[in-house]
Amino acid sequence: MLRSIFFALLIFLPGCSDIFAEGWLSGTLTELGAGNLDRILVIGAGVIITVLLVFIGFLYLNIDKRKRVEMELQRERDLMGSIMETSPMGILVMDNDGRIIFANDQAARVHGVARGDIIGKQHNDPVWKITAHDGSPFPDERLAFNRVMKIRNAVLDIRHAIHWLDGRKVLLSINASPIFSDDGSIKKVVATVEDITTRKKVEEALKESAYRFRSLVKTAESVIILLSPDKKILEFNRMAEHLFGRTRHEVLGRDYYELFVPERLWTDHNRQFSTVLSGNPLRLLENYVIARGGEERMMQWSLSRLLDAKGGALGVLAVGQDITERKRSEVELCEARDAAEEASRAKSEFLANMSHEIRTPISAIIGMSEMTLSTDLTEEQQGYLVTVKKAAESLLHIINDILDISKIEARKMELRPDDFNLFDMLEKQLSVLKVQAEEKGIELRANVNDDVSRCYHGDEYRLGQIIINLVGNAIKFTEKGYVEVSVDHVGSFEEGAILEFRVKDTGIGISDDKAEKLFESFVQLNAGYSKRHPGSGLGLAISRQLVEMMGGQITFSSREGWGTEFKFTVRLKSSVGECVESPVTIFETSGSDKTVPARILLAEDNATNQLYIAHFLTEQGFEVETAENGIEALELLEQSGPFDAILMDVQMPEMDGLETTRRIREQGNDIPIIALTAYAMEGDREKFLSNGMDAYSSKPVKIDELVQIIGKLVPHKA
């Protein structure tokens, strides 16, 4: 504006010169007179000064505005500079010869040099050894600068590798744009540079992962199906093709339910599908599908929800196995198991019945033999009866072994621990074996170390069975010399002691070729038609199992012709109740108190058993009355009572022992009832006791043991 005023004054003032020249000014001056001249000059000077001041003001305003514009431009330049310097992208500016004239710190950093070292270098300086990412030469015409200069337009994502001075290879992504001059030529090229080495590795890893996933889906031995939220098939692998008889291209995008789910199951499938889409996976889900040829097959699925990158439900991944054949096999196995269990029950019932049927007559044979031996007989007759009795006892021993091995094989053998006196147990077992040893003319020795306690808590009966088996075998296979039993304390544990038993003999010994079969069931080392030592071949097998059940192990050493030594250990707890440490010495006969008479009711249907049990109990001082069945027992209990104890046979006609016991207990009678039975299978004892009986004694009845049981139940009478 000031410039316009100035130009107007320059035009106006020369025009006024003619007016002044024509006398206007002189005439005016004449009229005013000389006195007013000074005033006119003052007014003129004021006008001129005012004009100058206005001009100067306008000039100042113009200069101030220009300064503000220049400052704004400087701020813009500073801002652009800051952006370029702080940009996470590398920025390069090259002149039209490809020489780098500007580079920010990030651009220098991705090139592996200092900022001062990159300025002035060519964009394709050999120091960087530019190659493709796989190491092959990179074409010069594909470099970003060269591409821009050729096509005169921007280029995007030109990728090549450079090598830093320390040898590292860096992959760069370059975007470049031209800057044109007024004449249309390219005067500069601006490029952004990004280090994508890590990103490239991630991309390659993702590609590899995706490839592996596709390969896994394709080659997996499971059926893999990906379903969209609206149940459309998105993925369908090779195993799915094989199961359903449809190719992947046939089913992609089609409704899974309509193709492969029986319509009756749609409701259940919808509920399961909704459960999975809500974020709750389902595992080991079993259902039917329509497979190849319209056949329904049973599938086992694992269903999981898949999420997209935004966290939305991409669909449901179903991984399944065809378990149709397995289900059929399971049914067959269940049927086979049921048949096996039925066979096992039949076997148990058979063994129980055979045990009863065999042990009952054996009991009669042994009992009647003992009764007859107590009468006046000739020496020859006594010899015959002793032979009969031994044969019956041998048969009973074999039956007991067969029952025991059956229990072990059925895993039904259990220990029944209780407090017992070790010395009393050894005395009872070895006293019987001592007679056998003396009959063969060999010596039976016993030696218990002084550090062995008398009282322990364990299964006295099974421990005695091991000793009888080992010592009995030693006596059987020893013709001369001795059999020695030793007991030592060899260790302790928190609850008790570890005892070692040794049974040593001077018998025939065991050859090395037969030693490995020694503990097998039904194996006899001298088996054959000419064997001299009869037996079932079960004693050692049973002994090993019992030893292991007691927490120990059994070993042996032998020399053929010189003898054998068996060693076994057992873990016995300390006694928990009162245990009378009687000073009994093994093989020393201890006196026993006379039995005070007690009234006993014997319920037994077998007349022979009635006879010999009543006979021997009477000899012990008991008063015995007999009944042939449960009905008679109830009548006698009511009419001839009271009795101190009842000996109750389990198997009787008309009313068995269990029913009889139940009725006695229902009447409120707590008289001691002792079961007498030839049943000896695992669980029989528990069954009898659970039905109200107080004790159990198996047939053949051993009178001494029976008297002890009566004494425990009727202490004031024994």
Side-chain angles (χ1 to χ4, degrees):
M1 183 177 178
L2 290 175
R3 186 179 298 176
S4 300
I5 296 173
F6 179 72
F7 282 134
L9 290 175
L10 289 177
I11 294 171
F12 173 75
L13 290 176
C16 293
S17 62
D18 292 338
I19 298 175
F20 287 109
E22 290 180 356
W24 177 81
L25 182 58
S26 61
T28 301
L29 292 174
T30 302
E31 293 177 0
L32 291 174
N36 295 321
L37 182 60
D38 293 336
R39 188 172 56 181
I40 293 172
L41 291 175
V42 170
I43 293 171
V47 171
I48 292 171
I49 292 171
T50 300
V51 171
L52 288 175
L53 289 174
V54 171
F55 175 77
I56 292 170
F58 279 110
L59 183 62
Y60 174 77
L61 291 175
N62 189 36
I63 293 171
D64 183 63
K65 182 177 181 180
R66 180 178 297 175
K67 286 183 178 181
R68 286 199 303 270
V69 170
E70 289 176 353
M71 291 176 65
E72 187 67 27
L73 290 174
Q74 185 61 42
R75 281 197 297 270
E76 293 291 336
R77 285 193 295 269
D78 293 343
L79 177 61
M80 291 300 297
S82 298
I83 292 173
M84 294 179 69
E85 292 297 339
T86 60
S87 172
M89 301 285 291
I91 299 176
L92 294 173
V93 180
M94 295 163 281
D95 62 19
N96 55 10
D97 291 328
R99 187 172 58 88
I100 299 172
I101 59 175
F102 173 82
N104 66 355
D105 287 337
Q106 182 63 17
R109 190 176 299 115
V110 299
H111 280 79
V113 296
R115 184 173 180 180
D117 294 334
I118 196 174
I119 303 297
K121 289 187 181 294
Q122 288 295 122
H123 69 95
N124 59 349
D125 195 297
V127 70
W128 289 309
K129 301 176 185 176
I130 299 174
T131 65
H133 70 276
D134 60 0
S136 60
F138 193 81
D140 193 62
E141 64 272 12
R142 290 191 56 208
L143 291 172
F145 176 82
N146 294 338
R147 289 284 295 163
V148 169
M149 297 300 292
K150 182 177 180 179
I151 67 175
R152 297 175 58 80
N153 206 342
V155 295
L156 302 176
D157 199 21
I158 301 296
R159 297 187 177 190
H160 63 68
I162 64 171
H163 292 73
W164 290 2
L165 297 179
D166 61 5
R168 280 182 286 176
K169 184 172 74 172
V170 179
L171 184 62
L172 302 181
S173 173
I174 303 173
N175 299 313
S177 299
I179 297 177
F180 294 97
S181 60
D182 294 340
D183 60 4
S185 62
I186 298 176
K187 64 177 180 180
K188 291 183 179 63
V189 174
V190 179
T192 60
V193 185
E194 182 182 6
D195 181 356
I196 61 170
T197 309
T198 302
R199 190 174 81 191
K200 182 66 176 178
K201 291 179 180 178
V202 172
E203 289 175 355
E204 291 177 349
L206 289 174
K207 288 180 181 178
E208 181 66 22
S209 177
Y211 174 77
R212 285 198 301 266
F213 176 75
R214 288 193 298 271
S215 298
L216 176 64
V217 170
K218 183 178 180 180
T219 61
E221 293 302 316
S222 298
V223 174
I224 299 178
I225 302 173
L226 178 60
L227 300 178
S228 67
D230 59 353
K231 307 176 187 67
K232 296 296 190 297
I233 299 174
L234 302 179
E235 189 56 70
F236 201 75
N237 77 336
R238 176 181 58 84
M239 288 299 293
E241 292 178 334
H242 177 74
L243 173 69
F244 294 107
R246 301 286 190 96
T247 66
R248 180 174 180 270
H249 297 292
E250 286 182 84
V251 302
L252 288 183
R254 299 182 63 181
D255 191 286
Y256 171 76
Y257 283 21
E258 293 180 356
L259 290 177
F260 304 125
V261 178
E263 189 171 354
R264 70 180 188 277
L265 301 178
W266 283 10
T267 302
D268 291 339
H269 277 243
N270 280 326
R271 184 175 62 255
Q272 296 159 3
F273 196 83
S274 299
T275 299
V276 177
L277 277 181
S278 66
N280 298 307
L282 295 178
R283 301 284 184 261
L284 304 179
L285 178 67
E286 297 180 0
N287 53 42
Y288 284 99
V289 298
I290 302 173
R292 181 191 299 268
E295 178 189 6
E296 289 195 4
R297 308 281 294 180
M298 172 65 78
M299 296 291 295
Q300 185 179 81
W301 298 100
S302 290
L303 304 180
S304 304
R305 181 181 65 170
L306 294 185
L307 302 178
D308 58 23
K310 296 180 180 179
L314 178 64
V316 171
L317 179 66
V319 180
Q321 292 284 345
D322 184 353
I323 60 172
T324 308
E325 301 305 325
R326 192 180 80 189
K327 283 293 183 181
R328 289 174 184 167
S329 298
E330 287 177 358
V331 171
E332 293 173 357
L333 285 173
C334 287
E335 292 174 351
R337 181 196 62 197
D338 293 342
E341 290 177 351
E342 182 62 31
S344 178
R345 283 192 293 270
K347 172 187 172 183
S348 297
E349 290 175 3
F350 172 77
L351 286 173
N353 289 329
M354 290 305 297
S355 167
H356 183 274
E357 296 301 324
I358 295 174
R359 292 165 73 95
T360 297
I362 291 177
S363 176
I365 293 171
I366 294 175
M368 297 307 295
S369 298
E370 289 178 348
M371 283 181 61
T372 308
L373 285 170
S374 65
T375 63
D376 292 332
L377 298 173
T378 65
E379 185 176 344
E380 184 179 12
Q381 290 171 329
Q382 284 186 342
Y384 293 157
L385 281 177
V386 168
T387 302
V388 170
K389 183 171 178 286
K390 287 184 177 180
E393 290 173 344
S394 178
L395 180 58
L396 180 63
H397 183 72
I398 293 173
I399 292 173
N400 288 336
D401 283 349
I402 293 174
L403 292 175
D404 280 343
I405 205 68
S406 298
K407 297 174 189 175
I408 291 171
E409 290 177 351
R411 300 175 184 261
K412 291 184 177 180
M413 176 74 79
E414 294 181 357
L415 300 178
R416 299 191 182 98
D418 200 356
D419 289 348
F420 72 98
N421 188 304
L422 177 67
F423 282 60
D424 288 348
M425 183 273 292
L426 290 173
E427 167 66 25
K428 181 169 61 177
Q429 304 297 345
L430 296 182
S431 61
V432 176
L433 295 167
K434 184 175 178 65
V435 176
Q436 298 178 17
E438 291 175 347
E439 290 177 350
K440 293 190 67 174
I442 60 178
E443 181 184 2
L444 177 59
R445 306 172 182 172
N447 179 32
V448 180
N449 203 304
D450 293 338
D451 59 358
V452 176
S453 300
R454 293 179 178 270
C455 295
Y456 293 98
H457 185 79
D459 193 324
E460 175 185 7
Y461 172 74
R462 293 302 182 185
L463 181 57
Q465 185 178 355
I466 299 170
I467 293 171
I468 287 178
N469 284 338
L470 295 179
V471 177
N473 277 348
I475 294 172
K476 180 172 24 175
F477 292 104
T478 301
E479 301 299 330
K480 59 181 180 179
Y482 65 89
V483 173
E484 184 178 66
V485 180
S486 302
V487 186
D488 293 294
H489 182 285
V490 295
S492 301
F493 63 104
E494 185 176 352
E495 298 174 292
I498 301 174
L499 301 184
E500 181 184 73
F501 294 78
R502 297 192 308 276
V503 178
K504 183 178 181 181
D505 65 60
T506 56
I508 61 176
I510 302 170
S511 61
D512 294 338
D513 60 327
K514 296 180 180 179
E516 62 182 17
K517 298 181 179 180
L518 189 62
F519 293 102
E520 294 182 11
S521 300
F522 302 105
V523 171
Q524 295 172 295
L525 301 187
N526 63 332
Y529 291 114
S530 61
K531 68 179 185 179
R532 297 174 53 196
H533 308 286
S536 64
L538 294 172
L540 291 178
I542 294 171
S543 297
R544 182 182 65 176
Q545 293 289 340
L546 293 175
V547 167
E548 291 175 353
M549 289 175 67
M550 295 182 186
Q553 55 182 307
I554 185 169
T555 60
F556 77 97
S557 59
S558 182
R559 182 180 176 187
E560 195 170 7
W562 289 81
T564 304
E565 182 178 41
F566 282 88
K567 294 181 182 179
F568 72 91
T569 57
V570 293
R571 298 165 71 91
L572 296 175
K573 296 181 180 180
S574 301
S575 58
V576 296
E578 294 184 2
C579 176
V580 180
E581 295 198 3
S582 56
V584 176
T585 303
I586 299 176
F587 300 146
E588 177 185 278
T589 303
S590 58
S592 59
D593 296 335
K594 297 288 286 185
T595 303
V596 178
R599 293 197 71 210
I600 304 295
L601 173 58
L602 171 62
E604 168 65 65
D605 66 310
N606 185 282
T608 305
N609 287 340
Q610 271 190 14
L611 182 61
Y612 91 82
I613 294 175
H615 171 79
F616 285 111
L617 286 179
T618 302
E619 284 190 344
Q620 293 288 331
F622 294 99
E623 179 184 345
V624 181
E625 290 197 33
T626 60
E628 293 186 359
N629 54 57
I631 295 176
E632 289 188 14
L634 292 175
E635 292 175 352
L636 283 173
L637 190 61
E638 182 179 353
Q639 298 171 7
S640 303
F643 292 95
D644 297 301
I646 301 176
L647 305 181
M648 185 76 72
D649 186 19
V650 173
Q651 188 179 61
M652 295 184 294
E654 299 189 42
M655 182 182 293
D656 62 31
L658 297 179
E659 176 64 19
T660 305
T661 301
R662 186 182 65 80
R663 295 196 180 188
I664 293 173
R665 295 306 186 216
E666 287 178 350
Q667 296 171 3
N669 194 334
D670 59 356
I671 183 174
I673 301 176
I674 302 168
L676 297 181
T677 180
Y679 288 104
M681 292 298 291
E682 191 71 20
D684 288 338
R685 177 179 181 272
E686 289 74 11
K687 179 173 67 176
F688 302 147
L689 297 181
S690 66
N691 277 275
M693 296 180 173
D694 298 285
Y696 166 93
S697 179
S698 63
K699 296 178 181 178
V701 174
K702 296 179 180 178
I703 299 300
D704 291 341
E705 291 183 0
L706 185 57
V707 169
Q708 290 182 5
I709 294 173
I710 295 172
K712 291 179 180 179
L713 296 177
V714 193
H716 62 288
K717 293 290 185 181

